[in-house]
Amino acid sequence: MPVPIRRLCVALTLCCALVAGATACGNTNAGSHAGSRTVTAAALDQRAATPSPTTPAERQKFAKTRFVANAGLAAGATYQWIVKPWKAGKFKKGAHGRRTALVKAGVAGLFTYNRLKAAERNAKGDPTLSKALAPLSKSIENLRDLPAKLRGGDTNAANSFNDVINNVKDAGKSAGAPVQNKVPSAGELRSGS
């Protein structure tokens, strides 16, 4: 059965491309075996270089944007699942839907802590933002224990979350990175990012 000429041309072109590619990737020191041994040993001894920014501008690239995104998610989660139910009285004993509100608040509290720590890391990329957020690192670290207090019914924990979020927003605004609430999706809340 004869093969059409078009298929033969395509097959021949692909074969040539593969041979040319394999030849281009081959060892250039194939003729000198002693030289290739030293090159190979030296290549094995070298560690893979990790990519790192070379200029201060590259290090700061998108630092404020990342800070605003992470802090906005933390603020949105805090408002939606901690502050709003707290103001509505859902954390009080005997309140309708208290258990569900406390579980959601605990998950939101862990999410908020995670996003604020990420925002704090992002702020280190920008000197102005880093200086503005530095006094708040202790307050952010203290949020780690508050989800357990929320589940225990401590209403002051909700107020602590609200205060820290407001302080982070003020720090961002003073550094030229205003933060707006962004309520995370359920998937983001479950995954923690």
Side-chain angles (χ1 to χ4, degrees), residues 102-155:
L102 286 173
V103 169
K104 287 180 182 179
V107 171
L110 291 173
F111 178 83
T112 298
Y113 173 74
N114 183 359
R115 292 298 87 207
L116 285 178
K117 290 303 279 184
E120 190 177 24
R121 285 189 304 272
N122 297 140
K124 291 178 182 175
D126 182 67
T128 308
L129 197 53
S130 180
K131 286 178 187 174
L133 206 62
L136 300 176
S137 64
K138 179 99 169 121
S139 300
I140 292 170
E141 192 60 39
N142 289 339
L143 290 180
R144 184 176 16 175
D145 300 329
L146 290 180
K149 289 182 180 179
L150 278 173
R151 286 185 295 247
D154 185 3
T155 56

Side-chain angles (χ1 to χ4, degrees), residues 60-100:
Q60 295 172 13
K61 190 173 187 180
F62 301 120
K64 283 186 179 179
T65 305
R66 290 177 182 156
F67 167 80
V68 168
N70 283 318
L73 286 170
T78 298
Y79 181 75
Q80 184 69 29
W81 290 294
I82 297 174
V83 174
K84 237 167 105 176
W86 172 57
K87 287 182 178 179
K90 296 243 178 180
F91 296 150
K92 292 180 182 175
K93 291 188 183 205
H96 179 70
R98 178 177 187 260
R99 182 175 292 165
T100 304

Side-chain angles (χ1 to χ4, degrees), residues 1-69:
M1 179 176 222
V3 179
I5 194 123
R6 183 180 289 168
R7 286 188 186 170
L8 285 174
C9 291
V10 171
L12 183 61
T13 305
L14 287 174
C15 288
C16 289
L18 289 173
V19 169
T23 305
C25 293
N27 188 359
T28 58
N29 292 333
S32 64
H33 295 289
S36 65
R37 281 189 207 134
T38 58
V39 170
T40 306
L44 290 176
D45 289 340
Q46 291 179 351
R47 293 186 179 190
T50 57
S52 63
T54 56
T55 65
E58 288 176 354
R59 268 185 249 124
Q60 295 172 13
K61 190 173 187 180
F62 301 120
K64 283 186 179 179
T65 305
R66 290 177 182 156
F67 167 80
V68 168

